């Protein structure tokens, strides 16, 4: 029973460091892998397709959702995307899209 408590405390410590601290760089590689897997599981994403990448943003290591992540979520939730317009505004390429949620 005490080993189950230790595992629970380890997971709580991991989640606290990742969620409250917001900097995955403070985690060990094994803790980052565990956190990555838990995030994927919570969203029901396949971690083998690399739905997230690590990026450093504002001095903190964080997860960034890749195109594969958005595609998996879009498919799971029945979101279709249609492009309404494309234009260049002050040197920026702007795409306006519509993404209604499927029949629910």
């Amino acid at each position: 029973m005490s080993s189950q408590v230790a595992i629970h405390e380890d997971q709580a410590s991991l989640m606290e460091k990742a969620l409250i601290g917001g900097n995955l760089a403070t985690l060990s590689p094994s803790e980052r892998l565990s956190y990555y897997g838990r995030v994927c599981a919570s969203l029901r994403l396949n971690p083998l397709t690399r739905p997230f990448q690590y990026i450093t943003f504002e001095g903190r290591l964080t997860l960034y959702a890749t195109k594969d992540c958005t595609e998996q979520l879009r498919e799971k939730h029945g979101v279709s995307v249609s492009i309404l317009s494309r234009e260049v505004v002050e040197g920026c390429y702007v795409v306006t899209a519509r993404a209604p949620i499927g029949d629910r």
Side-chain angles (χ1 to χ4, degrees), residues 51-64:
F52 297 100
Q53 289 184 347
Y54 294 111
I55 63 166
T56 301
F57 180 70
E58 295 182 354
R60 294 184 298 184
L61 185 67
T62 188
L63 290 179
Y64 175 80

Side-chain angles (χ1 to χ4, degrees), residues 11-102:
Q11 290 176 347
S13 174
L14 164 68
M15 296 308 287
E16 180 181 36
K17 283 196 250 180
L19 297 175
I20 305 303
N23 187 0
L24 301 179
T26 64
L27 304 178
S28 71
S30 136
E31 289 173 326
R32 278 196 296 272
L33 184 60
S34 177
Y35 178 73
Y36 188 101
R38 290 179 65 105
V39 170
C40 288
S42 74
L43 296 170
R44 291 186 232 147
L45 298 174
N46 180 351
L48 300 178
T49 63
R50 296 182 54 209
F52 297 100
Q53 289 184 347
Y54 294 111
I55 63 166
T56 301
F57 180 70
E58 295 182 354
R60 294 184 298 184
L61 185 67
T62 188
L63 290 179
Y64 175 80
T66 64
K67 181 181 177 188
D68 186 72
C69 177
T70 58
E71 290 296 319
Q72 285 184 56
L73 290 172
R74 187 179 63 74
E75 187 175 318
K76 279 187 187 320
H77 297 286
V79 177
S80 60
V81 178
S82 56
I83 295 175
L84 302 177
S85 68
R86 294 179 172 107
E87 60 186 319
V88 177
V89 178
E90 296 181 15
C92 291
Y93 187 66
V94 178
V95 177
T96 303
R98 182 165 200 249
I101 296 176

